[in-house]
Amino acid sequence: MTSVWRQDPLTASRPALEGELVAEIAAELLASDLNAAPHVIGSLLRRLEGDAVTVRETCGALSPAQRAGQRMLPRLLPLVPSISACFDGLLLDPDDRLTLLVAGLSVTDNVEVLLRATGRAPDELLAGRLNELLAVSHGRFTLCDRRATIWLQHTTSALEIAHAHELLERTNRDLGDEDAALWHRASGALQRIPDAAAPLIEMALALSEAGHADRAFVVATEAAEHADGASCEWARAVAGAAAMSAGCFEDAAERLGPLSDADHALHAKALGIAVVAETNTHGMIAMIDPAEHRPRAADPGRWRDWARTASLAAVACAERGAPHEMRAWLAALREADARAGADGAVRDAAVALCWMLTGEVEAVEPSSGGPFSGTMVRALHAAVRGDIDEGLRILALAHARPTGETDPLIPGFERSPLADAYLAVVEALLRFWRGDVEAARELLGTASVRLPVGIPFAGLGVVLAQRLDIAVHGTPGPLARSLAATLPGGIRLDRLVDSGLSAYLGGAAEQAAIDVTLWHDRGAPEPALGIPGLDEVGPVARRPRVEPPETTRARLLLHRIRTLPESSWRREHDEIAETGRRLTSPFDRARVEALLGSTCLSRGDASAGRRHLRAASRLFEDAGALAWKDAVEARLARLTIALSAQSDPVTEPIAVIRDADPLAASRVAWETLLTEREIEVAMRVASGGENREIATALDVSVRTVEVHVGRLFDKLGVRNRVELAVLAHRTGRVF
C-alpha cells in the first residue's frame, strides 16, 4: 500500500513561497482569533490547491484541536462557501460525474485503473468537460483542482460513493493490487467487514513506518470500524501510535487511554506512547506508578517494551524540568534494560539525553543508532561539548545518507513527523549557537510549515522561533506567534524575555530592564537547552545552562562588562576586547562588541565606543541579526547628533543647541545602561542638584531619589556625585 497510495502534490521546490503564504494566512487567522499551527495551514494549502481563501474558510470550520494540530484533519474536509462557489454551477452528465468521483476516491493515479473502473476510452478523458477537470499524462491522472473531490463527495449519496469504491475494488483486484482493492472494499462497505481488519492493520503499520502518519491513521481508523474484540484494540493502538507520531496527542490519548484493560502484551507496547500522549495533552507527566505497571513475567519482550515506556517517561520529565521524577523513571529503565537483556540498547540513549538536558553532559557518551537516539543525541552532545560544527556534520550526514537504521528508543517511528521535528529544532538551535541567525530562522520557518516543531523539548521550537524572529525583525512574526498560540496543553511560555528583547532593540531600555527583572523574579524559567536571551540589562545571574562553552563565555563576558567598576575599566577593557575577538560566533561577538561600545561611551571614551559599535554592526549583519544591527546603527546616529551638538560652535544655531542640553551626549551614552528615570536623576545630579530638589522636580519622595542615585552609581561605576559630574561632562567631549 505504501507504494501505490497516491502522493499529495508537493511544493518542496518552492519552500520560500509556501512559507510566505502560510505566514500570510497565519497572520489573518490570528487577527480573527482562529489560531492554527503553521504545519496545519501548510497541510491544508497542499490539499486545497494553495487557495488561501479556502484554507481560511476551512480553518473556521475545524475544531480548535484540529487547527492546533492536536487532532488529525478530517479525512473529508468540510464543504466551505468558496468550494461551493467554484463547483455548484458545474453541469456534469452522469458518466462524467462518476469518472470524476472515481478519480477523486482512487488511492492510485494509474490511468489504467481509471479507464477500467469507469469503462471509458482514453480519448473520452480528453474530451468535453473532463478535459477541463482531469489531467492525464504519461499513464497518470490527477484532478486539475482537488477541491472538486470535496464538492463531489459532499454532494453525492452514500450509495453512489459505495458504488465508486466497488468499481475501484474490482479493478484493482483484476490488476493484482490487493492492497488498493482491500482499501476500497473497506471504505465503500455499508456494513462491517471483520475479515478486512487484520490486513488493514498491517497496511497501517507499513504506512506508519514509511513516515506517512496521516495515512496510517486513516487506515487504522478504518480497520477499527470493521474490527471486533482484540483486533479492534490493535487497530486503536495503531491509530493512536500514528496520531502520536504526527503530534496529534488528543487523538492519540483518546485511542490509547482505554487500552489499559486490554491484553497485557498490547498494553505493554502501547503504554509508552500513551504516556507521551497524556503528558503533551495535559501538560504534566502522566500519573503512572512504575511499580504497578512493571511486568510480572520474565518475558524479555515485555521488559523491553517496559524499558521504552520508562525511557520515554524519563525524557519527558527531563524536558519539563522534573529531575526527581526523571531519576525514578531512569531507575525503572535500568532494571528493565537488564531484565530484557538489551545490553544498554534502550537505556544508554535515554540516559544520555536525560543527563544532557539537566546539564550533566559528560555523564554518558551516546552510542545508539537511529535518528532520535543516535543522530540527534550525538549532534547535541557534540555541540554542548564545544564542537558545534561536528554536531551539524552529524545531522548533515544523516540527511544525505538515510540508513533506515532502527532506533532503539522509538522503533517504528524513525521517519515520523515528530522525529523529523526534533531533528529540525536541534539543527536550528545549533545554527543559532554558531551565530548563523538568519540561516537558523529560515530552516525553522521552512520546517514549521510541514512539521509540528512546537512540540520538541516542551516548546523549545516555539521559544527558538520567537527569539530568531526578534533578532532579525525585532518582533515575533506570524509563524512564531501561531506556534505559541497552538502549543499542547500545559506548556507555558514565559514571554518576558522576548518582550524585553523587543523593547531593548526598539530603544526602550527601561521597559526591557523591567521585563528581565520580572523574569528573574519568576525564577528565570527557560527551556532545558539554552537559547541566547537578553543579558545586557536587568539582574546579573550566573546560573548554569545547557549550551556550548563559547556561548557561556560570551554570556559571562557580558556580565563582566556590566559589573566592572570604573576604577578597573580602563585596565581590563583591552583584555575583555581581546577575549571577545576569540569568539567564533559573529552573533555572540557582536553582542560583546555592542556592550563594550555602550560602556565605553558611558565611561567617556567616545572614540573606543564608536569603534566597538561599528564592529558590532558589521558582525550583526554577518550573522543576519538585522534588528540588532539596526539598534546599533540607531544608537550611533543618535550619538553623532548629540556629539555634534556638543562640539565647538561654528554658527549660532549650533551654539543654541549646545546650551539647550549640555549633557546630551551623556544622555545618549547612558541610555542602554540606565532606566529613563535613572537618566533623569543622573542629569540633575550631574548639574549639581540635591536629592530634595530632584525629588520635588520629579514629584517623588527623597527616598526614591536616593535609591535611584545608588543604582546609577553602581551601574556607572562611580562612588559619589562629584565623580558622576566629571564622568558626565567627560562623556560630552568630542574625541
Side-chain angles (χ1 to χ4, degrees), residues 6-11 14 17-18 21 25 41-56 58 77 82-83 86-87 104 132-135 141-150:
R6 183 167 52 188
Q7 300 293 307
D8 289 337
L10 300 177
T11 53
R14 298 176 295 158
L17 181 61
E18 183 183 27
L21 189 51
I25 295 172
I41 299 173
S43 178
L44 289 173
L45 273 172
R46 293 185 287 275
R47 292 176 64 175
L48 297 171
E49 298 296 334
D51 186 80
V53 173
T54 305
V55 170
R56 288 192 291 269
T58 301
L77 292 176
S82 60
I83 297 178
C86 284
F87 301 105
E132 302 171 13
L133 300 169
L134 197 63
F141 71 86
T142 185
L143 289 170
C144 296
D145 188 336
R146 291 199 306 158
R147 293 176 299 172
T149 300
I150 299 171

Side-chain angles (χ1 to χ4, degrees), residues 485-561:
T486 55
L487 273 172
I491 297 178
R492 296 290 181 262
L493 299 180
D494 194 317
R495 295 178 172 83
L496 286 168
V497 174
D498 292 332
S499 62
L501 270 166
S502 294
Y504 183 78
L505 296 178
E510 180 173 13
Q511 183 59 53
I514 292 172
D515 289 340
V516 175
T517 300
L518 291 174
W519 176 69
H520 277 277
D521 292 344
R522 289 166 55 89
E526 57 186 354
L529 296 167
I531 299 177
L534 183 60
D535 296 283
E536 283 78 355
V537 297
V540 174
R542 292 181 174 85
R543 56 183 293 182
R545 292 177 181 170
V546 181
E547 61 189 7
E550 182 174 285
T551 304
T552 302
R553 285 195 294 272
R555 186 159 47 84
L556 294 178
L557 277 177
L558 294 174
H559 293 170
R560 183 180 173 190
I561 295 168

